[in-house]
Structure formats: C-alpha cells, structure tokens
Amino acid sequence: MYSGSSDGESHEASQRKIPPASSMPWVRNLRRFIGSGAGLGSEALMELETKRILLDIFKEKQQKSAEAGSIPSFYKKKPEEGSISQRVQRLAKYRFLRKQSDLLLNADDLDAMWVCLRENCVIDDATGAEKMNYEDFCHIASVCTEQIGPKCRRFFSPSNFMKFEKDESGRIAILPFYLYVMRTVSLTQARIDMSELDEDSDGFLQPHEMEAYIRGLIPNLAQLRDMPAAFVQMYCRIAARKFFFFCDPHRRGKACIKKVLLSNCLQELMELHQESEEEVTDTEQAENWFSLTSAQRICDMFLALDRDMNGTLSKQELKEYADGSLTEIFIERVFDEHVRRGKSGGGNSREMDFESFLDFVLALENKDTPEGLTYLFRCLDLNGRGFLTTADIHSLFRDVHQKWIEGGNYELCIDDVRDEIWDMVKPADPLRITLSDLLTCKQGGTVASMLIDVRGFWAHDNRENLLQEEEEPEEE
C-alpha cells in the first residue's frame, strides 16, 4: 500500500503542468524591479554603469573606424584633468607598477642568490674563478626558487645562460651572471620609479619630473647624502640637464624613459653609490658631471661670469669662459643658434640663461659625442647650409690665428691648417665637410676644438709632447 500511494502521487505530479515563468506575477515584478536598477546595490550599479560606458566607447570606436576607412588613428586625446577616465588610468597604472615592483628582487633576495651561487659553483683550477655548468645552473635555480620564491625563476632561463661567455667545459662565471641580475633589477626599479613620476603616462619625462626623480635618489647615493639642503634644487637642475642634452636631441622638452634607461648618463649617476671616498679620486669626481664637486664647480663658474648678477650671461660675459680662449665668432654663433630670443625687447632679450649655459658647457666637455658635436657643428656652419667649405674654415680659424699670435706663438699658415683638417676628416665630398663626415672620421671633436678654441689648437699642435709627458710618469 505504501509503495502504491507513492506511485500515484508521482503520477499526479507528472501530469500537473508547471506554469511558465512569464505568467507568474512575482517573476514579472522582480524582473521589472531589477531592470530599473532601483533594487541593486552600489557594486551592481557600478558594474552596470561600467558596462554601459564600455559599450558606448566600443560603439564610438566602431563608428570612427567606419568613417576613417583604411586610415588608422594616430592621435588619442588625453583624458581631462579630474575626469573619471583620468582617475581610472592613474589607478590602473598605480596597481600595475605596484605589481611589477612586488615581482622584483630586494636586497635580501640578491644576497641570498649570491650565497646560493657561491655554495653550488665549482672553482676553475686554472684561473680560480667561480663557475657553473648548465646542470649547476638548473640546480641553483631550484635552490633559489625554494629560498627566495618564484620571482627569481625568470633569471634562470636557458636563453640567459647562453648570453654569457663559456669556457671549454661549457661553464660560465657566476660573477657576470650575478651582475647581470643586479643590473636588470636596478634598471627595472628605475623604470618603475620614473613611470610613477610620468604624470600623463606617455613614456616621457618633463624637466620637473626628471628633477623629482633625481631628488628622490639623493638620499640613496652615498656621495650626495651630505649635500647642503639649500643646494639640492640647483643640483637637480644641473643633473637633469645632462639627461635632456643627450636624451632629447630635438629639444622637445621631454626625454624618453627608455632612452634614459639605456643612456650612459644613468650609469654615471649610479656610480655615486660608492660608499668610500677613497675609492673615488678627485679627478674622477671632477669628470663625473653628477658629482657634488662638479655641480658646485659649474655653479661657481656661472656666478663668476655673471658680473652684473642678473641671472643671465651676455656675449661679453661669456667671452671670459675658459680664460677667454674661445673665439669671438664662435661666441656669436652660439648666441645665434642656441640662445632663445626674449619675448620682450628688454636688455635680457639676447642673453644666455642658466639652462642654455649648461648645454654650452656640456657640448664643450663632450665634443667627441654625437650630441656635443651636433651642437658645435650648428655653430661652425656659418651659413646654415649643412656643410663647411674651405671659406668657412678660413673664417673660423682666423680668430684662432689671431689669439695664437697674441699669445707669442710662432707664425703659421692658415692654408696649411685648412689642408690638415681636410686630411684628418677625409670628407666624402672633397669640396665640403658635413656633420656625418666629422662623426665618421672619429676626430670631429679635435677639429671643432681647433676651430673655436686657441687652447684646443695648441693641444693638437703639441699632441706628441703631451703624449710623451703622460707616458713618462707611467714608466717611472
């Protein structure tokens, strides 16, 4: 009887029809309620709003693509200040950079990796160097992953092993590998720091952003920790200018972050990490543009030249640079090509400001670099034609010749100097010298010095004696 009643009930249930959902009043009311959005929470409303915005953006892009046809879009308008798009962009960038920063090895991780490398390597009997083969490399990768975590695994790829020089047994030295890891971590951290300062997220840094980056580095650089607080702002201006001189050749007022990371400027700045002052000689400090000694020297030089204390340099004041060894025609050309005209017609309308002075010093101290030689070539190109003729060489060297005679030196023939310059450069066109010719001959800096600076010509004329004097102390 029990089983029979059960079968009957199931049979009745199967015969009973379930009404469709659309016919149920409570379902219709619920759908109407949700559809209006009145009953949703804040998160659900935000999700709906986000979907609506994304859908509108997608439709707008489709419409623009249809109108543009085959012409791709090359300009994207930046979001307005304070808009939702800008806030979302900044938040997304912040989270992305934070995630990338968390994947980096810290100082303790690097120390642990070095210990693992030394404990699991072999000593080369011939050289005494610590080396590892590929099996050791894989084993060290496993040990480091256990101790440090998976974030170190990417350094132990087969392609990284193949980047290093191997001996006859197929082993690589552990020190170059460790230095590679440290440099990769350092550059990645620098890129993250610079990207955080990149306000418009276009991959470029403006002068005030670069100065902010350098200001943040000062406490971590051993040789700059004792810098007077009053000099920090001036130092940042001087240091940032070198980055823009070499990484912004077109003078657009912004430097590409990738180019900054790959430049020698950043490496030169990071040399100031050395703790002991005994490790760095006075000569090295003076040659390093980013050292405190060099920055103070440049600042004192500008103040000494600025006799009227108006914050800019006139042509007459700039002629006193390097004890007046530069020619007048070169000073004139510097103002013509590299000094911006003032907006007003006042007395300072044709005077050199501090930033232009820094470019001037950088060009003279880096004459052999493409950037420095490009700066100087614009001054040497008297007619702006993109090349130098024999007449240009004669006009440029005439002032050098005059200073040379006034200094009590022997008489020389300008034509002989002109022929010597032509022999040094060996231009592609025998009638003209281009910037490309100066860069190709590898003596462009020497040629420029001969044409603008009487001391530069004297150094070239006495190069054999100077070379002999440099070799004598080494022999002793």
Side-chain angles (χ1 to χ4, degrees):
M1 179 181 286
Y2 180 79
S3 61
S5 71
S6 177
D7 292 342
E9 292 177 0
S10 62
H11 179 70
E12 292 177 1
S14 62
Q15 295 295 327
R16 190 181 305 159
K17 293 183 179 180
I18 300 176
S22 59
S23 63
M24 297 181 183
W26 66 272
V27 173
R28 292 197 302 270
N29 294 335
L30 181 59
R31 285 180 176 175
R32 191 181 303 112
F33 187 66
I34 294 177
S36 64
L40 298 178
S42 58
E43 293 184 3
L45 283 173
M46 188 179 298
E47 184 71 18
L48 281 176
E49 181 67 14
T50 303
K51 288 182 178 180
R52 187 187 64 78
I53 293 174
L54 293 176
L55 183 60
D56 292 342
I57 294 174
F58 177 72
K59 289 181 178 179
E60 183 180 356
K61 284 187 175 182
Q62 278 190 327
Q63 183 179 358
K64 288 183 178 180
S65 299
E67 294 175 355
S70 60
I71 302 177
S73 61
F74 56 89
Y75 171 74
K76 294 182 179 179
K77 186 178 180 181
K78 294 180 180 179
E80 298 179 0
E81 186 70 27
S83 63
I84 297 179
S85 300
Q86 186 192 46
R87 295 179 182 178
V88 171
Q89 186 183 62
R90 288 183 176 179
L91 180 60
K93 185 180 79 169
Y94 170 78
R95 290 186 175 181
F96 173 77
L97 295 177
R98 173 63 66 87
K99 181 179 179 181
Q100 296 299 316
S101 182
D102 292 340
L103 295 175
L104 285 180
L105 302 178
N106 54 36
D108 295 335
D109 297 334
L110 291 171
D111 292 340
M113 179 182 288
W114 177 243
V115 172
C116 290
L117 287 169
R118 298 202 65 185
E119 290 179 349
N120 296 277
C121 67
V122 294
I123 307 297
D124 191 342
D125 297 332
T127 62
E130 298 171 315
K131 297 185 175 182
M132 58 181 172
N133 57 25
Y134 187 68
E135 292 181 358
D136 299 330
F137 184 75
C138 295
H139 175 67
I140 293 173
S142 301
V143 175
C144 288
T145 303
E146 293 177 0
Q147 296 184 5
I148 301 174
K151 58 184 177 180
C152 69
R153 190 75 191 180
R154 64 189 182 96
F155 295 107
F156 292 92
S157 63
S159 59
N160 279 345
F161 184 84
M162 296 299 296
K163 291 177 182 177
F164 298 92
E165 183 180 359
K166 292 172 281 296
D167 60 10
E168 299 82 2
S169 304
R171 299 175 300 183
I172 65 173
I174 65 171
L175 182 58
F177 172 77
Y178 180 70
L179 293 177
Y180 160 76
V181 174
M182 288 186 62
R183 178 163 174 77
T184 303
V185 171
S186 176
L187 288 177
T188 306
Q189 184 62 59
R191 182 169 187 175
I192 292 172
D193 295 340
M194 292 181 188
S195 298
E196 288 179 349
L197 295 170
D198 182 13
E199 296 177 356
D200 50 5
S201 303
D202 61 348
F204 291 82
L205 290 182
Q206 298 179 17
H208 69 279
E209 295 169 343
M210 178 60 73
E211 292 176 15
Y213 171 73
I214 295 172
R215 190 178 297 109
L217 282 180
I218 290 177
N220 300 322
L221 299 176
Q223 298 181 35
L224 300 180
R225 289 173 185 163
D226 298 330
M227 182 187 301
F231 191 68
V232 171
Q233 183 177 359
M234 180 62 69
Y235 172 83
C236 292
R237 288 178 65 187
I238 296 173
R241 198 63 192 176
K242 182 165 187 177
F243 283 100
F244 282 88
F245 183 82
F246 285 97
C247 301
D248 181 26
H250 301 294
R251 301 295 180 263
R252 296 181 298 175
K254 57 181 182 179
C256 178
I257 292 178
K258 290 183 179 180
K259 196 167 185 179
V260 169
L261 293 172
L262 297 176
S263 68
N264 294 328
C265 301
L266 186 62
Q267 184 177 354
E268 186 179 356
L269 177 61
M270 293 305 173
E271 290 177 1
L272 303 181
H273 272 297
Q274 298 181 28
E275 292 284 348
S276 175
E277 294 183 357
E278 298 177 358
E279 299 177 6
V280 185
T281 63
D282 294 337
T283 304
E284 290 176 342
Q285 283 189 347
E287 292 177 351
N288 190 328
W289 176 270
F290 299 101
S291 67
L292 184 59
T293 302
S294 175
Q296 291 174 336
R297 171 184 64 87
I298 294 166
C299 191
D300 293 341
M301 188 190 310
F302 183 84
L303 293 175
L305 294 173
D306 185 17
R307 294 187 175 181
D308 56 5
M309 303 297 289
N310 66 342
T312 57
L313 300 180
S314 64
K315 294 179 183 179
Q316 194 63 34
E317 290 172 335
L318 189 62
K319 288 178 183 178
E320 301 300 320
Y321 180 86
D323 297 329
S325 64
L326 299 178
T327 62
E328 292 187 11
I329 189 172
F330 172 66
I331 298 297
E332 291 284 344
R333 292 294 298 154
V334 167
F335 273 77
D336 290 341
E337 295 292 333
H338 301 291
V339 177
R340 293 171 295 182
R341 295 183 180 273
K343 295 181 180 179
S344 62
N348 296 342
S349 59
R350 287 294 288 165
E351 294 204 349
M352 178 181 285
D353 58 14
F354 188 61
E355 278 71 22
S356 299
F357 176 75
L358 294 177
D359 290 341
F360 175 78
V361 176
L362 282 165
L364 292 178
E365 295 185 356
N366 299 273
K367 291 187 290 289
D368 294 319
T369 63
E371 294 81 7
L373 198 53
T374 300
Y375 181 102
L376 297 176
F377 185 81
R378 288 179 57 185
C379 301
L380 299 178
D381 185 8
L382 300 179
N383 298 305
R385 296 172 297 185
F387 59 86
L388 307 179
T389 62
T390 54
D392 295 328
I393 300 297
H394 191 279
S395 300
L396 290 166
F397 191 73
R398 188 168 48 203
D399 285 2
V400 176
H401 178 261
Q402 182 180 352
K403 288 181 176 291
W404 175 266
I405 298 301
E406 291 174 355
N409 297 288
Y410 65 89
E411 182 62 47
L412 50 84
C413 179
I414 298 180
D415 293 337
D416 292 341
V417 176
R418 180 197 61 199
D419 294 340
E420 183 178 1
I421 290 175
W422 238 258
D423 292 338
M424 292 169 63
V425 178
K426 295 180 175 61
D429 185 340
L431 298 179
R432 58 182 63 177
I433 294 176
T434 64
L435 176 60
S436 178
D437 294 327
L438 292 176
L439 293 172
T440 303
C441 73
K442 306 299 182 183
Q443 299 188 74
T446 303
V447 172
S449 296
M450 294 170 61
L451 296 175
I452 67 174
D453 187 356
V454 67
R455 287 182 178 177
F457 178 76
W458 183 90
H460 173 74
D461 191 58
N462 294 271
R463 57 191 180 280
E464 295 179 357
N465 296 333
L466 294 175
L467 183 62
Q468 185 177 0
E469 291 177 1
E470 292 178 358
E471 292 177 350
E472 286 178 356
E474 295 179 0
E475 295 177 357
E476 294 176 1

